[in-house]
């Protein structure tokens, strides 16, 4: 659930914050690019997670969303979003049953890369008397999943097309191996080459009489290039609306940081050392070390399970402030790459204007007139109906109030790491509007 | 909630599995050591999370538990565990209020390292008319939190001792900087030196008339040494009952792997490549790359948000099995270190006998007569009362059925990364016994 917050000092920590007007600038930047290029926008929601944010993207020009797995698609479908691409293979009886139960309220698409999986999907769809949209995943050079471009992709496309339970919708690829190429010309060439394999295969499929509607690829690390390539019908870039250290430092994405993790300082053992209450279980540190947005240069950041130990280059004395001191940090909001860059924590802070350091000050965010929203926090009291975020997305919120089994909700929450925005509280919200246990007691 | 499973094929994936008889062997190994050394055992629960497992440790000889934060202590206290040490500083009005609300049902202890924090705890305790146990955290060389050994620690101990809202209980340290020293003699010397600073400070405190009851330190990476050092009253080692790649490869802990993450193979794009549905949001990869327990040597493991791409050294053809193929993986169950070791995935699998590879086979676990338990999975149906895990810990389960606000439950779940065992489903369990939303509907 999204909760509008006044000052950050009302929040228990660690808290994941999204600065709405910064996010809006990132959204507008991306939407403008897709409008100018005349290409469709199907943002990936694996990092942003919250259906209200996805709904905002649909308002801004996206025509659907991309998800990494069935659980994410369920959250989006429950919120009333219809056009959902699951950009991976869905395998196994339980997962396929969950996938198909999204139909017909959502018109979901799934990616395939083997005849065995096509058979299983077709069989299950026919049993339920539904027709499932399918795209063939093409390996355009990242060497993860997908069939090879050219003949292999045409062959699997033909195989899908003749299945009565399936609707062949086209092709999907992801040029993820190009995102970290530093030289702009070299990167452009690599993206062109990879996407060219996909669009050429789409042309071949059409020449073979296959009805290719969708040619989907691209992410935040490539969208400025990919969106301009002919033959691409839609781009999956989504994480850039929040942005993070990895996008900026490793992928040349010049967006602003819209998401930070707010922590409370729990110890100042030396004038150079700050211990705060956000650690490995609040932030990832595999793709990049979280960067504290504190005053002064940071020498190192070490994470333990629930705490970060920040070592400053220069001593900084205690600040006489009776309130607990807070530290905002930026971390990997994408959580989608396993490569390891240089420790971002060792660089000098450059983004104070984006998410100003509130360490040793109070309520600096709200002083600057920025609107904050805290995700991952369930409201403990019914809210007045006039609040901005609820007002704006009232239809989405209403759509999500379908009863669900508690089991599915808890299990889904447990599987998500939480530097990315979690859907846990949103799914919980789907059970009962507010304070379920109190409500249950009252009814009993 | 713990769910006993028959074959692993009943599980939707990714699923975190604990092999109970392997865990029992690890527990017995640790308990034996502490009994032999005549030292107390207060296992850390930041990795194991589940109160039923903590209760099993109390049966096996532990006299209390250690937690990293208030949220974990709440879970343990709600399950009826009384003697709880929070081995970090608790700062801020909200957190201190939550800490004190654990009294008197739990007799919690908290670590302090500054007079300001002591003042805040004392003031809040007096307001509530309770008395909170406090230990002074001593920096024994890890340079995280804590005051320096010797005079500074004695001074802060005196300060605590004269506070009417607090009960001075002693000292705490953590020789975490020694865990990865490879040479056994060198490691022993480093542990002795660090713990010696703590025990000498305890002696000095006693000489100064301070009633030191507790001298607490040690973790799984040091317990074999620390438990034998005089002056130590209790050791905090807990993660070793599950063990993981980091403990074995980087800390010379010769325990068996009791926890694995089960994944379903979603794609076999080449005979050397396996894609399965456990990625960054199911497993950590900062301290060590997860190790797939598959047949054949593994060349590399790359993680995306929801999937792992496993590259084998030698081709391995498809196995003709109509069931979805599964891959168990081991990852960092501790989630407590930020250092980075060599990629464990690149080493040859050595632990097939511990958690046998079920890839391409079915139910190999249960064939070998091993008892499995799946954590992080909420039961979707009421269970028969005779099940082993519920029977054994019936008093714990009953104790945890106190109503809680949904807000606290969801927020706590959202903050935990999930290669460690999560308390999410346990806390959810505390709301209502089974299927809360269905129950609510029935009552309405």
């Amino acid at each position: 659930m999204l909760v509008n917050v006044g000052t950050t000092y009302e929040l228990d920590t660690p808290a994941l914050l999204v600065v709405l007007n910064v996010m809006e600038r990132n959204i507008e930047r991306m939407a403008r690019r897709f409008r100018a290029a005349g290409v469709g926008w199907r943002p990936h929601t694996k990092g942003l997670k919250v259906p209200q944010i996805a709904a905002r993207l649909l308002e801004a020009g996206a025509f659907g969303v991309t998800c990494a797995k069935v659980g994410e698609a369920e959250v989006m479908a429950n919120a009333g979003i219809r056009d959902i691409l699951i950009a991976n293979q869905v395998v196994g009886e339980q997962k396929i049953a969950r996938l198909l139960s999204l139909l017909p309220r959502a018109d979901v698409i799934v990616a395939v890369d083997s005849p065995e999986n096509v058979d299983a999907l077709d069989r299950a769809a026919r049993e339920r008397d539904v027709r499932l949209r399918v795209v063939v995943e093409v390996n355009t050079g990242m060497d993860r999943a997908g069939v090879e471009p050219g003949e292999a992709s045409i062959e699997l496309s033909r195989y899908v097309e003749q299945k009565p339970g399936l609707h062949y919708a086209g092709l999907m690829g992801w040029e993820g191996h190009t995102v970290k190429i530093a030289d702009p010309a070299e990167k452009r060439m690599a993206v062109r080459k990879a996407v060219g394999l996909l669009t050429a295969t789409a042309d071949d499929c059409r020449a073979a009489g296959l009805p290719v509607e969708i040619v989907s690829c691209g992410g935040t690390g490539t969208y400025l290039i990919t969106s301009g390539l002919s033959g691409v019908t839609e781009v999956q870039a989504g994480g850039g609306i929040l942005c993070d250290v990895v996008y900026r430092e490793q992928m040349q994405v010049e967006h602003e940081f819209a998401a930070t993790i707010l922590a409370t300082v729990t110890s100042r053992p030396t004038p150079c050392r700050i211990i705060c209450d956000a650690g490995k279980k609040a932030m990832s540190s595999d793709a990049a070390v979280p960067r504290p947005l504190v005053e002064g240069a940071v020498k190192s950041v070490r994470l333990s399970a629930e705490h970060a130990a920040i070592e400053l280059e220069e001593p900084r004395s205690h600040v006489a402030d009776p309130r607990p001191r807070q530290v905002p940090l930026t971390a990997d909001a994408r959580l989608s790459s396993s490569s390891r860059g240089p420790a971002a924590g060792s660089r000098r802070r450059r983004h104070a204007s984006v998410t100003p350091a509130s360490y040793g000050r109070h309520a600096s965010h709200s002083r600057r007139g920025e609107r904050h929203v805290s995700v991952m926090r369930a409201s403990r009291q019914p809210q007045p109906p006039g609040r901005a975020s609820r007002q704006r997305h009232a239809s989405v919120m209403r759509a999500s109030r379908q009863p669900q089994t508690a089991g599915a909700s808890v299990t889904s929450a447990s599987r998500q790491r939480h530097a990315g925005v979690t859907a846990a509280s949103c799914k919980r919200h789907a059970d009962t509007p507010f304070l379920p246990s109190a409500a249950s007691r009252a009814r009993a």
Side-chain angles (χ1 to χ4, degrees), chain A:
Chain A
M1 188 187 301
L2 299 174
V3 180
N4 278 304
V5 295
T7 77
T8 57
Y9 280 91
E10 293 172 15
L11 294 172
D12 202 359
T13 55
L16 180 56
L17 300 179
V18 174
V19 187
L20 290 181
N21 45 356
V22 174
M23 183 180 79
E24 284 297 330
R25 287 199 293 271
N26 290 335
I27 290 173
E28 184 42 43
R29 182 196 288 252
M30 295 179 83
R32 199 164 48 229
R33 173 64 197 159
F34 296 121
R35 279 196 305 271
V39 70
W41 187 20
R42 187 192 288 282
H44 210 303
T45 63
K46 70 178 186 290
L48 55 97
K49 292 279 190 190
V50 176
Q52 289 95 326
I53 296 179
R56 175 69 200 103
L57 294 175
L58 295 178
E59 282 177 5
F63 63 82
V65 298
T66 307
C67 293
K69 59 175 185 176
V70 173
E72 287 175 5
E74 286 169 339
V75 171
M76 295 298 155
N78 289 347
I81 293 173
R82 278 191 57 75
D83 196 344
I84 302 170
L85 166 63
I86 298 177
N88 289 291
Q89 287 67 55
V90 173
V91 169
E93 248 178 65
Q94 295 182 62
K95 283 281 177 9
I96 290 176
R98 283 170 60 187
L99 171 70
L100 292 174
S101 73
L102 295 173
L103 300 168
R105 70 199 149 113
D107 190 9
V108 73
I109 314 167
V110 71
V112 299
D113 70 353
S114 76
E116 292 83 1
N117 189 213
V118 170
D119 288 343
L121 293 169
D122 173 57
R123 197 166 45 240
R126 282 187 286 114
E127 275 168 18
R128 285 168 171 260
D129 204 22
V130 293
R131 197 140 178 251
L132 175 69
R133 286 198 290 170
V134 165
V135 290
V136 168
E137 179 166 357
V138 181
N139 175 21
T140 60
M142 191 174 65
D143 293 341
R144 195 170 59 184
V147 287
E148 293 306 298
E151 196 43 55
S153 294
I154 300 167
E155 195 183 322
L156 189 61
S157 293
R158 272 206 199 92
Y159 193 72
V160 172
E161 214 267 335
Q162 48 89 30
K163 292 288 183 186
L166 307 179
H167 173 92
Y168 173 72
L171 304 175
M172 190 202 82
W174 167 221
E175 62 280 12
H177 56 296
T178 67
V179 292
K180 293 188 182 174
I181 298 173
D183 179 71
E186 197 188 327
K187 180 169 180 173
R188 178 171 290 273
M189 210 162 65
V191 172
R192 274 178 186 279
K193 185 184 164 195
V195 175
L197 292 170
L198 182 71
T199 52
T201 300
D203 291 342
D204 292 347
C205 284
R206 289 193 188 99
L210 289 159
V212 176
E213 304 150 25
I214 292 174
V215 181
S216 185
C217 58
T220 294
T222 65
Y223 82 98
L224 287 173
I225 306 166
T226 301
S227 58
L229 302 178
S230 60
V232 173
T233 66
E234 58 179 57
V235 175
Q236 298 176 11
I241 69 159
L242 297 178
C243 198
D244 62 31
V245 174
V246 180
Y247 281 130
R248 284 193 67 105
E249 301 291 336
Q250 299 173 29
M251 302 187 193
Q252 304 90 43
V253 175
E254 295 297 317
H255 295 199
E256 301 173 59
F257 294 148
T260 53
I261 292 141
L262 193 72
T264 296
V265 175
T266 56
S267 174
R268 286 301 310 273
T270 77
C272 282
R273 198 180 312 141
I274 300 169
I275 313 291
C276 63
D277 67 352
K280 290 192 173 200
K281 296 187 191 182
M283 307 179 287
S284 67
S285 64
D286 52 345
V289 174
R291 175 188 302 175
L293 303 177
V294 295
E295 304 280 339
V298 170
K299 191 173 167 187
S300 70
V301 177
R302 290 173 293 158
L303 299 187
S304 53
E306 301 288 354
H307 295 80
I310 301 162
E311 207 72 42
L312 302 174
E313 291 282 2
E314 305 285 341
R316 194 174 140 74
S317 59
H318 285 57
V319 177
D321 186 334
R323 278 161 294 220
R325 292 173 281 254
Q326 296 181 324
V327 176
L329 299 100
T330 62
D332 177 11
R334 303 165 315 114
L335 288 174
S336 63
S337 163
S338 61
S339 54
R340 291 172 178 189
S346 62
R347 300 186 184 205
R348 214 182 156 81
R349 174 174 66 90
R350 298 209 308 246
H351 307 287
S353 65
V354 178
T355 42
S358 62
Y359 171 70
R361 288 182 275 162
H362 61 92
S364 57
H365 293 261
S366 55
R367 274 185 188 167
R368 293 175 186 229
E370 285 176 334
R371 289 178 302 144
H372 275 87
V373 75
S374 169
V375 285
M376 292 176 38
R377 298 189 59 78
S379 170
R380 286 167 201 192
Q381 289 169 18
Q383 293 181 12
R387 291 242 176 155
S389 70
R390 292 191 62 222
Q391 218 167 16
R392 205 149 104 210
H393 304 299
S395 65
V396 176
M397 301 290 278
R398 269 201 302 276
S400 71
R401 283 188 193 155
Q402 298 158 10
Q404 295 189 354
T405 65
S409 171
V410 172
T411 306
S412 169
S414 314
R415 298 248 176 83
Q416 290 154 0
R417 215 152 68 175
H418 299 284
V421 179
T422 179
S425 42
C426 294
K427 290 208 74 181
R428 178 64 192 230
H429 179 78
D431 289 339
T432 37
F434 303 108
L435 274 175
S437 61
S440 306
R441 284 201 301 279
R443 276 181 236 150

